[in-house]
Amino acid sequence: MYKMFITFLVTLLFMFAATYFLLFTQSGNDAIKPYLQKLISRKAQMDIKLLKFTLKTDHIDIKCLAGKDSKLQASGGINLFLKSFDIDYNIDAKDLKTKWAVIEGKLKIDGVVKGDLKKFLLNGAGEAMDTDIRFAALIEDKKPKNLIFESKQAKIDKILALLNIPSYSSGLANISANLKNFDSQNPKGDINITVNQAHIDTALIKRDFDIDLGKSFSFNGDIKTKIENGVANSKINLISTLANLNT
């Protein structure tokens, strides 16, 4: 019985030491880095190169390269027992193509992700699609709960391209959104859009919808939307070369 207990204890200590070596030493981190790189590439469905991976009991440091020009860095404190984290991240990318979206031009975001696996806050600020943006999102159970977003002088044609919509319009737009209960049956919040120097591609509208708007069509205006009890009510004020709209 005594020998069995000693054998069990030695085996347990060996397994603990091996696990600690693989997970929390640089030599162990380097050993599992190729496997982690394959896992991330498979999940992201794109070629990811893991330049640096350091995991300690209270700290993590990761540097990745996606494609040729897109870099991601994340570094900060972690608590493995509480499954909590407070991590700074940086994205520096160009013409980033992912399975979720294609973002043309420069993407440069600095932010923080803080909380635990069940509930955390993700925020960031920087440049995307040639415009300044900032955002903050509360994530609960892997779903967005609340969202604040702001973009100034965003290019409308690049927003349409991000949404995989033809460039029916060009111009500039200021966008602000404050949404709560984002994933529930009762979302609420406000979305405000101000459009400046916008132009409609009348030839493209004619081709796709057989609607003749003449040779040129431009407009300015704003759209204010309030969401309450799952219903969106909008106030629209548009001034165009064709007609004015105020609802």
Side-chain angles (χ1 to χ4, degrees), residues 41 59 78 101 105 138 147 194 208 226 238:
S41 297
H59 186 83
I78 59 174
L138 177 64
L147 172 66
T194 301
D208 291 352
K226 190 173 187 62
L238 294 179

PDB file of all heavy atoms in Angstrom, residues 41 59 78 101 105 138 147 194 208 226 238:
ATOM      1  N   SER A  41      -4.741  29.053 -37.225  1.00  0.00           N
ATOM      2  CA  SER A  41      -4.920  29.168 -38.672  1.00  0.00           C
ATOM      3  C   SER A  41      -6.188  28.460 -39.125  1.00  0.00           C
ATOM      4  O   SER A  41      -6.921  28.963 -39.984  1.00  0.00           O
ATOM      5  CB  SER A  41      -3.699  28.593 -39.407  1.00  0.00           C
ATOM      6  OG  SER A  41      -2.537  29.327 -39.099  1.00  0.00           O
ATOM      7  N   HIS A  59       0.710  35.862 -16.776  1.00  0.00           N
ATOM      8  CA  HIS A  59       0.967  36.782 -17.881  1.00  0.00           C
ATOM      9  C   HIS A  59       0.936  36.029 -19.211  1.00  0.00           C
ATOM     10  O   HIS A  59       1.296  34.856 -19.287  1.00  0.00           O
ATOM     11  CB  HIS A  59       2.341  37.455 -17.706  1.00  0.00           C
ATOM     12  CG  HIS A  59       2.632  38.512 -18.718  1.00  0.00           C
ATOM     13  ND1 HIS A  59       2.176  39.801 -18.599  1.00  0.00           N
ATOM     14  CD2 HIS A  59       3.331  38.460 -19.888  1.00  0.00           C
ATOM     15  CE1 HIS A  59       2.586  40.508 -19.639  1.00  0.00           C
ATOM     16  NE2 HIS A  59       3.284  39.722 -20.429  1.00  0.00           N
ATOM     17  N   ILE A  78      -3.104  37.674 -16.570  1.00  0.00           N
ATOM     18  CA  ILE A  78      -4.145  36.657 -16.553  1.00  0.00           C
ATOM     19  C   ILE A  78      -4.182  35.994 -15.179  1.00  0.00           C
ATOM     20  O   ILE A  78      -3.210  36.031 -14.433  1.00  0.00           O
ATOM     21  CB  ILE A  78      -3.919  35.570 -17.635  1.00  0.00           C
ATOM     22  CG1 ILE A  78      -2.561  34.882 -17.412  1.00  0.00           C
ATOM     23  CG2 ILE A  78      -4.013  36.163 -19.027  1.00  0.00           C
ATOM     24  CD1 ILE A  78      -2.321  33.707 -18.334  1.00  0.00           C
ATOM     25  N   ALA A 101     -14.970  39.237 -42.920  1.00  0.00           N
ATOM     26  CA  ALA A 101     -15.057  40.497 -43.651  1.00  0.00           C
ATOM     27  C   ALA A 101     -13.745  40.765 -44.381  1.00  0.00           C
ATOM     28  O   ALA A 101     -12.704  40.194 -44.056  1.00  0.00           O
ATOM     29  CB  ALA A 101     -15.372  41.646 -42.693  1.00  0.00           C
ATOM     30  N   GLY A 105      -7.592  48.790 -47.218  1.00  0.00           N
ATOM     31  CA  GLY A 105      -6.786  49.874 -46.691  1.00  0.00           C
ATOM     32  C   GLY A 105      -6.200  49.545 -45.331  1.00  0.00           C
ATOM     33  O   GLY A 105      -6.091  48.396 -44.917  1.00  0.00           O
ATOM     34  N   LEU A 138     -19.670  45.131 -24.507  1.00  0.00           N
ATOM     35  CA  LEU A 138     -19.774  44.216 -23.370  1.00  0.00           C
ATOM     36  C   LEU A 138     -20.203  42.859 -23.907  1.00  0.00           C
ATOM     37  O   LEU A 138     -21.254  42.747 -24.553  1.00  0.00           O
ATOM     38  CB  LEU A 138     -20.783  44.731 -22.350  1.00  0.00           C
ATOM     39  CG  LEU A 138     -21.035  43.831 -21.131  1.00  0.00           C
ATOM     40  CD1 LEU A 138     -19.766  43.699 -20.292  1.00  0.00           C
ATOM     41  CD2 LEU A 138     -22.192  44.369 -20.292  1.00  0.00           C
ATOM     42  N   LEU A 147     -23.220  47.833 -26.941  1.00  0.00           N
ATOM     43  CA  LEU A 147     -22.251  48.281 -27.929  1.00  0.00           C
ATOM     44  C   LEU A 147     -22.314  49.795 -28.082  1.00  0.00           C
ATOM     45  O   LEU A 147     -23.389  50.372 -28.242  1.00  0.00           O
ATOM     46  CB  LEU A 147     -22.524  47.625 -29.285  1.00  0.00           C
ATOM     47  CG  LEU A 147     -21.695  48.134 -30.470  1.00  0.00           C
ATOM     48  CD1 LEU A 147     -20.225  47.781 -30.270  1.00  0.00           C
ATOM     49  CD2 LEU A 147     -22.222  47.568 -31.781  1.00  0.00           C
ATOM     50  N   THR A 194     -25.051  61.095 -40.017  1.00  0.00           N
ATOM     51  CA  THR A 194     -25.048  62.360 -40.745  1.00  0.00           C
ATOM     52  C   THR A 194     -24.239  62.184 -42.022  1.00  0.00           C
ATOM     53  O   THR A 194     -23.085  61.752 -41.978  1.00  0.00           O
ATOM     54  CB  THR A 194     -24.446  63.493 -39.897  1.00  0.00           C
ATOM     55  OG1 THR A 194     -25.210  63.645 -38.701  1.00  0.00           O
ATOM     56  CG2 THR A 194     -24.477  64.806 -40.664  1.00  0.00           C
ATOM     57  N   ASP A 208     -28.732  48.000 -61.999  1.00  0.00           N
ATOM     58  CA  ASP A 208     -29.179  46.966 -61.065  1.00  0.00           C
ATOM     59  C   ASP A 208     -30.666  47.036 -60.745  1.00  0.00           C
ATOM     60  O   ASP A 208     -31.278  46.004 -60.421  1.00  0.00           O
ATOM     61  CB  ASP A 208     -28.380  47.065 -59.762  1.00  0.00           C
ATOM     62  CG  ASP A 208     -26.924  46.675 -59.951  1.00  0.00           C
ATOM     63  OD1 ASP A 208     -26.578  46.191 -61.049  1.00  0.00           O
ATOM     64  OD2 ASP A 208     -26.124  46.866 -59.011  1.00  0.00           O
ATOM     65  N   LYS A 226     -34.199  55.603 -33.239  1.00  0.00           N
ATOM     66  CA  LYS A 226     -34.343  55.194 -31.844  1.00  0.00           C
ATOM     67  C   LYS A 226     -34.990  53.811 -31.820  1.00  0.00           C
ATOM     68  O   LYS A 226     -36.031  53.586 -32.433  1.00  0.00           O
ATOM     69  CB  LYS A 226     -35.202  56.195 -31.069  1.00  0.00           C
ATOM     70  CG  LYS A 226     -35.197  55.949 -29.558  1.00  0.00           C
ATOM     71  CD  LYS A 226     -35.924  57.062 -28.825  1.00  0.00           C
ATOM     72  CE  LYS A 226     -35.796  56.930 -27.316  1.00  0.00           C
ATOM     73  NZ  LYS A 226     -34.395  57.034 -26.867  1.00  0.00           N
ATOM     74  N   LEU A 238     -33.321  64.662 -45.501  1.00  0.00           N
ATOM     75  CA  LEU A 238     -32.396  64.597 -46.623  1.00  0.00           C
ATOM     76  C   LEU A 238     -32.663  65.742 -47.595  1.00  0.00           C
ATOM     77  O   LEU A 238     -33.818  66.042 -47.917  1.00  0.00           O
ATOM     78  CB  LEU A 238     -32.524  63.262 -47.368  1.00  0.00           C
ATOM     79  CG  LEU A 238     -32.116  61.985 -46.614  1.00  0.00           C
ATOM     80  CD1 LEU A 238     -32.331  60.764 -47.496  1.00  0.00           C
ATOM     81  CD2 LEU A 238     -30.675  62.066 -46.154  1.00  0.00           C
TER      82      LEU A 238
END
